[in-house]
PDB file of all heavy atoms in Angstrom:
ATOM      1  N   GLU A 573     -55.039  40.746  22.554  1.00  0.00           N
ATOM      2  CA  GLU A 573     -54.001  41.582  23.276  1.00  0.00           C
ATOM      3  C   GLU A 573     -53.692  42.725  22.527  1.00  0.00           C
ATOM      4  O   GLU A 573     -53.640  42.795  21.252  1.00  0.00           O
ATOM      5  CB  GLU A 573     -52.746  40.770  23.629  1.00  0.00           C
ATOM      6  CG  GLU A 573     -52.846  39.686  24.664  1.00  0.00           C
ATOM      7  CD  GLU A 573     -53.309  38.351  24.025  1.00  0.00           C
ATOM      8  OE1 GLU A 573     -53.766  38.372  22.870  1.00  0.00           O
ATOM      9  OE2 GLU A 573     -53.198  37.310  24.712  1.00  0.00           O
ATOM     10  N   VAL A 574     -53.330  43.854  23.122  1.00  0.00           N
ATOM     11  CA  VAL A 574     -53.112  45.073  22.462  1.00  0.00           C
ATOM     12  C   VAL A 574     -51.569  45.206  22.317  1.00  0.00           C
ATOM     13  O   VAL A 574     -50.842  45.109  23.252  1.00  0.00           O
ATOM     14  CB  VAL A 574     -53.578  46.335  23.214  1.00  0.00           C
ATOM     15  CG1 VAL A 574     -53.210  47.636  22.576  1.00  0.00           C
ATOM     16  CG2 VAL A 574     -55.096  46.219  23.356  1.00  0.00           C
ATOM     17  N   LEU A 575     -51.143  45.454  21.090  1.00  0.00           N
ATOM     18  CA  LEU A 575     -49.729  45.751  20.719  1.00  0.00           C
ATOM     19  C   LEU A 575     -49.701  47.182  20.183  1.00  0.00           C
ATOM     20  O   LEU A 575     -50.237  47.408  19.080  1.00  0.00           O
ATOM     21  CB  LEU A 575     -49.187  44.693  19.774  1.00  0.00           C
ATOM     22  CG  LEU A 575     -48.776  43.352  20.338  1.00  0.00           C
ATOM     23  CD1 LEU A 575     -48.496  42.383  19.214  1.00  0.00           C
ATOM     24  CD2 LEU A 575     -47.617  43.508  21.297  1.00  0.00           C
ATOM     25  N   THR A 576     -49.054  48.055  20.845  1.00  0.00           N
ATOM     26  CA  THR A 576     -48.917  49.425  20.343  1.00  0.00           C
ATOM     27  C   THR A 576     -47.458  49.717  20.086  1.00  0.00           C
ATOM     28  O   THR A 576     -46.520  48.996  20.443  1.00  0.00           O
ATOM     29  CB  THR A 576     -49.503  50.366  21.423  1.00  0.00           C
ATOM     30  OG1 THR A 576     -48.811  50.213  22.684  1.00  0.00           O
ATOM     31  CG2 THR A 576     -50.928  50.101  21.598  1.00  0.00           C
ATOM     32  N   SER A 577     -47.170  50.940  19.620  1.00  0.00           N
ATOM     33  CA  SER A 577     -45.788  51.339  19.336  1.00  0.00           C
ATOM     34  C   SER A 577     -44.923  51.267  20.570  1.00  0.00           C
ATOM     35  O   SER A 577     -45.317  51.792  21.641  1.00  0.00           O
ATOM     36  CB  SER A 577     -45.885  52.796  18.809  1.00  0.00           C
ATOM     37  OG  SER A 577     -44.580  53.266  18.496  1.00  0.00           O
ATOM     38  N   GLY A 578     -43.759  50.614  20.482  1.00  0.00           N
ATOM     39  CA  GLY A 578     -42.894  50.462  21.542  1.00  0.00           C
ATOM     40  C   GLY A 578     -43.086  49.153  22.379  1.00  0.00           C
ATOM     41  O   GLY A 578     -42.237  48.821  23.125  1.00  0.00           O
ATOM     42  N   SER A 579     -44.225  48.406  22.140  1.00  0.00           N
ATOM     43  CA  SER A 579     -44.403  47.171  22.760  1.00  0.00           C
ATOM     44  C   SER A 579     -43.437  46.074  22.291  1.00  0.00           C
ATOM     45  O   SER A 579     -42.914  46.259  21.098  1.00  0.00           O
ATOM     46  CB  SER A 579     -45.804  46.665  22.468  1.00  0.00           C
ATOM     47  OG  SER A 579     -46.747  47.568  22.975  1.00  0.00           O
ATOM     48  N   THR A 580     -43.151  45.114  23.070  1.00  0.00           N
ATOM     49  CA  THR A 580     -42.295  44.035  22.689  1.00  0.00           C
ATOM     50  C   THR A 580     -43.157  42.787  22.267  1.00  0.00           C
ATOM     51  O   THR A 580     -44.107  42.415  23.017  1.00  0.00           O
ATOM     52  CB  THR A 580     -41.422  43.579  23.781  1.00  0.00           C
ATOM     53  OG1 THR A 580     -40.565  44.677  24.262  1.00  0.00           O
ATOM     54  CG2 THR A 580     -40.556  42.429  23.378  1.00  0.00           C
ATOM     55  N   GLY A 581     -42.823  42.283  21.107  1.00  0.00           N
ATOM     56  CA  GLY A 581     -43.605  41.159  20.587  1.00  0.00           C
ATOM     57  C   GLY A 581     -42.664  40.021  20.277  1.00  0.00           C
ATOM     58  O   GLY A 581     -41.453  40.134  20.181  1.00  0.00           O
ATOM     59  N   LEU A 582     -43.263  38.849  20.131  1.00  0.00           N
ATOM     60  CA  LEU A 582     -42.489  37.632  19.783  1.00  0.00           C
ATOM     61  C   LEU A 582     -42.952  37.157  18.435  1.00  0.00           C
ATOM     62  O   LEU A 582     -44.112  36.838  18.161  1.00  0.00           O
ATOM     63  CB  LEU A 582     -42.735  36.471  20.818  1.00  0.00           C
ATOM     64  CG  LEU A 582     -42.099  35.110  20.431  1.00  0.00           C
ATOM     65  CD1 LEU A 582     -40.614  35.262  20.460  1.00  0.00           C
ATOM     66  CD2 LEU A 582     -42.572  34.123  21.496  1.00  0.00           C
ATOM     67  N   LEU A 583     -42.048  37.023  17.397  1.00  0.00           N
ATOM     68  CA  LEU A 583     -42.340  36.541  16.144  1.00  0.00           C
ATOM     69  C   LEU A 583     -42.275  35.055  16.180  1.00  0.00           C
ATOM     70  O   LEU A 583     -41.246  34.415  16.307  1.00  0.00           O
ATOM     71  CB  LEU A 583     -41.218  37.010  15.068  1.00  0.00           C
ATOM     72  CG  LEU A 583     -41.064  38.513  15.004  1.00  0.00           C
ATOM     73  CD1 LEU A 583     -39.996  38.924  14.100  1.00  0.00           C
ATOM     74  CD2 LEU A 583     -42.329  39.221  14.621  1.00  0.00           C
ATOM     75  N   TYR A 584     -43.505  34.419  16.074  1.00  0.00           N
ATOM     76  CA  TYR A 584     -43.555  32.968  16.296  1.00  0.00           C
ATOM     77  C   TYR A 584     -43.842  32.164  15.055  1.00  0.00           C
ATOM     78  O   TYR A 584     -43.831  30.893  15.021  1.00  0.00           O
ATOM     79  CB  TYR A 584     -44.614  32.646  17.370  1.00  0.00           C
ATOM     80  CG  TYR A 584     -46.013  32.965  16.958  1.00  0.00           C
ATOM     81  CD1 TYR A 584     -46.872  32.098  16.289  1.00  0.00           C
ATOM     82  CD2 TYR A 584     -46.555  34.213  17.306  1.00  0.00           C
ATOM     83  CE1 TYR A 584     -48.177  32.452  15.914  1.00  0.00           C
ATOM     84  CE2 TYR A 584     -47.903  34.539  17.038  1.00  0.00           C
ATOM     85  CZ  TYR A 584     -48.729  33.635  16.375  1.00  0.00           C
ATOM     86  OH  TYR A 584     -49.972  33.950  16.032  1.00  0.00           O
ATOM     87  N   ALA A 585     -44.164  32.846  13.910  1.00  0.00           N
ATOM     88  CA  ALA A 585     -44.415  32.082  12.664  1.00  0.00           C
ATOM     89  C   ALA A 585     -44.280  33.149  11.442  1.00  0.00           C
ATOM     90  O   ALA A 585     -44.389  34.406  11.652  1.00  0.00           O
ATOM     91  CB  ALA A 585     -45.791  31.487  12.583  1.00  0.00           C
ATOM     92  N   TYR A 586     -43.991  32.617  10.301  1.00  0.00           N
ATOM     93  CA  TYR A 586     -43.888  33.459   9.075  1.00  0.00           C
ATOM     94  C   TYR A 586     -44.906  32.951   7.989  1.00  0.00           C
ATOM     95  O   TYR A 586     -44.893  31.755   7.722  1.00  0.00           O
ATOM     96  CB  TYR A 586     -42.553  33.424   8.530  1.00  0.00           C
ATOM     97  CG  TYR A 586     -42.342  34.258   7.241  1.00  0.00           C
ATOM     98  CD1 TYR A 586     -42.406  35.691   7.412  1.00  0.00           C
ATOM     99  CD2 TYR A 586     -42.077  33.744   6.099  1.00  0.00           C
ATOM    100  CE1 TYR A 586     -42.262  36.451   6.222  1.00  0.00           C
ATOM    101  CE2 TYR A 586     -41.977  34.501   4.924  1.00  0.00           C
ATOM    102  CZ  TYR A 586     -42.024  35.825   5.008  1.00  0.00           C
ATOM    103  OH  TYR A 586     -41.882  36.650   3.854  1.00  0.00           O
ATOM    104  N   ASP A 587     -45.625  33.845   7.432  1.00  0.00           N
ATOM    105  CA  ASP A 587     -46.633  33.562   6.373  1.00  0.00           C
ATOM    106  C   ASP A 587     -45.930  33.854   5.036  1.00  0.00           C
ATOM    107  O   ASP A 587     -45.718  35.064   4.684  1.00  0.00           O
ATOM    108  CB  ASP A 587     -47.888  34.320   6.501  1.00  0.00           C
ATOM    109  CG  ASP A 587     -49.014  33.928   5.597  1.00  0.00           C
ATOM    110  OD1 ASP A 587     -48.728  33.915   4.325  1.00  0.00           O
ATOM    111  OD2 ASP A 587     -50.086  33.635   6.041  1.00  0.00           O
TER     112      ASP A 587
END
Side-chain angles (χ1 to χ4, degrees):
E573 291 90 344
V574 177
L575 282 171
T576 58
S577 179
S579 301
T580 301
L582 175 66
L583 304 177
Y584 64 88
Y586 179 69
D587 188 305

